[in-house]
Amino acid sequence: MLNLSAAARALLIASLLALLAACGGKAAEQETETLPVDQLYAEAKSSLDNGNFERSIRYYKRLASRFPFGDITEQAQLDLAYAQYRRAEYDDAISTVNRFIKTYPAHPKIDYAYYLRGLVNFDRNRSYIDRLLPSQAGNRDQESARQAFNDFNEMLRRYPNSSYAPDARQRMVFLRNDLANSELTIARYYYRRGAYVGAASRAKFILVNYQQAAQVPDALALLAMCYEALGQPELAAD
């Protein structure tokens, strides 16, 4: 019987595990090459439903490569984008959605594609802390939030009666308030620094672009304070 040290046993176990993983990977790769399109899609969808996004992405990609045409392939592209979104592969998800929109502009689920694009950008830069403390989100980069707002707006403009429209509208309300809060945070910072022109510009931007946001009264008050500080009491009174 071999008398192996603890380090040697650990190395042997690691080597065996790596070998098994490699064999499993080869078997999975072979499976994607032999399954017919309906079974390949079923495997991908089962992985997606079970939260195994990495496996589902691999199967969806191979399906599209082996079977570039057909209804199943079209649906697989939408599922692939969703799997990439759930795996936080946001750039890949956007690319997949954009490709779908360009390739299948008359698809029965095209409204979902536009909605999903907004959803990806909605979550792109939102951390766990942001979700817990949305009032503290004003300091993060808002580019993705603006893009998500535009995505949902385009989806509603094109497909106002879509089943995804109510959720898109609710998300736009959240985004509007989030963006207004970000602008107000910057405006207040400018005001504290004595940059009254910059602060007034940010406050006016809120009044013009986010008219129904909860931050509008505060923006209006800050604008009046800026005008007072700039020696323009008539504008402040207005």
Side-chain angles (χ1 to χ4, degrees):
M1 185 174 181
L2 292 177
N3 185 17
L4 299 177
S5 67
R9 286 197 299 270
L11 181 60
L12 179 60
I13 292 172
S15 299
L16 289 173
L17 289 175
L19 181 61
L20 288 173
C23 292
K26 277 188 177 180
E29 190 68 27
Q30 290 174 353
E31 186 179 37
T32 63
E33 295 300 325
T34 58
L35 287 177
V37 63
D38 55 341
Q39 292 184 30
L40 191 55
Y41 177 80
E43 286 291 331
K45 187 66 166 61
S46 175
S47 296
L48 178 63
D49 293 341
N50 291 326
N52 190 345
F53 304 121
E54 182 179 7
R55 184 174 187 268
S56 68
I57 289 170
R58 185 170 66 251
Y59 274 64
Y60 282 130
K61 285 183 175 180
R62 194 62 195 130
L63 187 155
S65 177
R66 288 182 57 204
F67 308 99
F69 306 106
D71 294 342
I72 292 180
T73 299
E74 293 173 12
Q75 180 61 48
Q77 288 296 308
L78 283 177
D79 291 352
L80 171 61
Y82 180 74
Q84 290 168 329
Y85 156 65
R86 291 298 307 274
R87 200 163 185 263
E89 297 178 1
Y90 298 127
D91 289 337
D92 290 340
I94 292 294
S95 295
T96 302
V97 168
N98 286 339
R99 184 166 57 251
F100 181 90
I101 291 172
K102 183 178 180 180
T103 307
Y104 311 111
H107 193 275
K109 295 184 179 180
I110 192 67
D111 59 329
Y112 172 73
Y114 280 96
Y115 169 77
L116 181 57
R117 185 167 64 181
L119 203 60
V120 173
N121 281 314
F122 184 85
D123 280 352
R124 182 189 288 269
N125 284 335
R126 301 190 65 235
S127 69
Y128 181 70
I129 296 299
D130 290 340
R131 293 185 177 92
L132 290 178
L133 302 171
S135 62
Q136 303 300 315
N139 292 326
R140 69 170 184 271
D141 178 32
Q142 295 293 305
E143 182 57 37
S144 292
R146 282 189 286 271
Q147 185 59 56
F149 187 91
N150 293 335
D151 289 336
F152 288 132
N153 189 50
E154 183 177 6
M155 179 258 172
L156 290 171
R157 179 177 60 81
R158 289 174 178 269
Y159 312 103
N161 298 319
S162 168
S163 60
Y164 304 102
D167 185 73
R169 291 190 182 95
Q170 289 185 353
R171 290 178 186 275
M172 285 184 71
V173 170
F174 173 87
L175 289 165
R176 179 199 64 199
N177 291 335
D178 192 35
L179 290 166
N181 184 62
S182 177
E183 292 291 337
L184 186 61
T185 298
I186 296 171
R188 285 170 169 163
Y189 172 78
Y190 284 163
Y191 183 83
R192 291 194 300 270
R193 301 280 294 187
Y196 303 121
V197 173
S201 177
R202 292 282 184 167
K204 284 191 288 187
F205 185 85
I206 296 171
L207 299 177
V208 171
N209 294 279
Y210 309 118
Q211 295 180 6
Q212 296 180 337
Q215 291 78 10
V216 164
D218 289 339
L220 190 61
L222 182 61
L223 182 60
M225 292 165 58
C226 289
Y227 284 142
E228 286 284 1
L230 290 168
Q232 301 184 41
E234 292 183 359
L235 290 176
D238 289 341

